[in-house]
Amino acid sequence: MAALLPPGIIGIIGGGQLGRMMIYRAKKLGYRFSVLDEKGAPAENLADFSVHGSLKDPAALKNLANVSDLLTYEIEHINTDALDELVSNGVKIFPSPSMLRIIQDKLLQKELFIKKGIPTADYFSADDPENFDFSQKKFSLVQKLRKGGYDGRGVKVLNATNDKPMNAPSIFEDMIDIEKELAVMVARSTDGSIAVFPVTEMAFNPDHNICDTVIAPARIDEKTAEAAKEISVNVVKALDGVGIFGVELFLDKKGNVLINEVAPRPHNSGHYTMEACVTCQFEQHIRAITGLPLGDTTLIRPAVMLNLLGEDGSYGEVELQGYEEALKVPGMSLHLYGKTESRPVRKMGHFTVTADTLEEAIKKSEYVRSILKIHGKEKLNDK
């Protein structure tokens, strides 16, 4: 297709922090943006046009399409039937609704990986887990809801037959003996061109199963890095994807790299690119979906990204702790998402620290973590 050039209007389905950062970093290219979400969403005050409504409402999606030259999205939980209808009427949507339908269902993802020969954990599926006979299954297992899981929700570890599963259609994976969790951002353009970012290392908050820290580059050998990149590119090709994709991977203790799952949008593991790479993931996504040449993915400096979550024990109007002291740290870049209400574990922002060495970046990031906190003004009752 012919490239969409500025001042074209890109419609974003979803107005959260990913949409906000997409607009923030891609405005410099000259595009205008429209956003669909509830009133007051983080991306709204940066958008040129806003449509208020549900991401599942066909009428709201149509209204967004009417004020946009093409559509994309920053979250997977969208009405794909409504998107199909828009495509049938000539609306350009990237990544495609047919691909999104696969992403929305973890069983369909798994089946695609197996069909394409992409290494992944062994699994089985169950539509009615509460009445499923687990007696012949080997534990431990990781249960993942087929649909609706997000940011650690919809995942449960089962260590024995008497552990109660979530009772919704699910897949159950064999527990991997994990050495590291890795991620690769892969961009694929409308003409099939591909650009790959460095392999990153992810650490997860053990209490909430949410990504806590991203280290770039990952502390792995070159052979492992190349395997991770090859698998990630194969995943995006298998999906026939257009846009930016966050590919999550496992490195097991035997040195094998396995696909975990994939997000068809900018991803938490790619936030570091805003400060550490020549082209960031958000600009790259816009380049890919509009048909522009993909940008340089070179890592300029080692980087560590940490999520800023709402602190436990409070909620409500935001109170910042350690804000000014954190801004004094050389190489630290702060991103607050414009959310006016804090609650425990809510993603309120992130910061990235770059340095000449990865060790220095890690040390500085741990210092910032220790002083920079986001609380709500109201205290939760003790339980």
Side-chain angles (χ1 to χ4, degrees), residues 65-133:
N66 287 340
V67 295
S68 309
D69 295 305
L70 66 80
L71 299 183
T72 190
Y73 41 88
E74 56 112 59
I75 190 169
E76 292 93 317
H77 306 306
I78 307 169
N79 183 340
T80 51
D81 290 338
L83 296 186
D84 285 338
E85 180 68 21
L86 292 176
V87 169
S88 70
N89 289 318
V91 177
K92 296 182 177 68
I93 304 176
F94 300 111
S96 71
S98 59
M99 188 229 65
L100 178 58
R101 191 170 280 107
I102 295 172
I103 295 292
Q104 287 176 335
D105 188 330
K106 288 185 171 60
L107 177 59
L108 297 183
Q109 276 196 58
K110 277 285 192 181
E111 290 174 343
L112 179 66
F113 298 156
I114 297 297
K115 179 180 178 182
K116 296 295 184 179
I118 297 168
T120 188
D122 290 337
Y123 75 100
F124 61 91
S125 64
D127 289 337
D128 184 16
E130 204 167 70
N131 295 306
F132 187 84
D133 181 7

Side-chain angles (χ1 to χ4, degrees), residues 181 201-205 210-215 307 369:
E181 296 202 36
E201 180 180 339
M202 297 188 293
F204 284 75
N205 182 309
I210 190 171
C211 183
D212 177 73
T213 306
V214 175
I215 296 171
N307 283 316
R369 184 211 294 267

Side-chain angles (χ1 to χ4, degrees), residues 22-35:
M22 197 185 300
I23 296 172
Y24 169 63
R25 291 309 296 260
K27 275 268 190 177
K28 66 179 184 178
L29 295 176
Y31 291 101
R32 293 174 292 167
F33 289 87
S34 54
V35 169

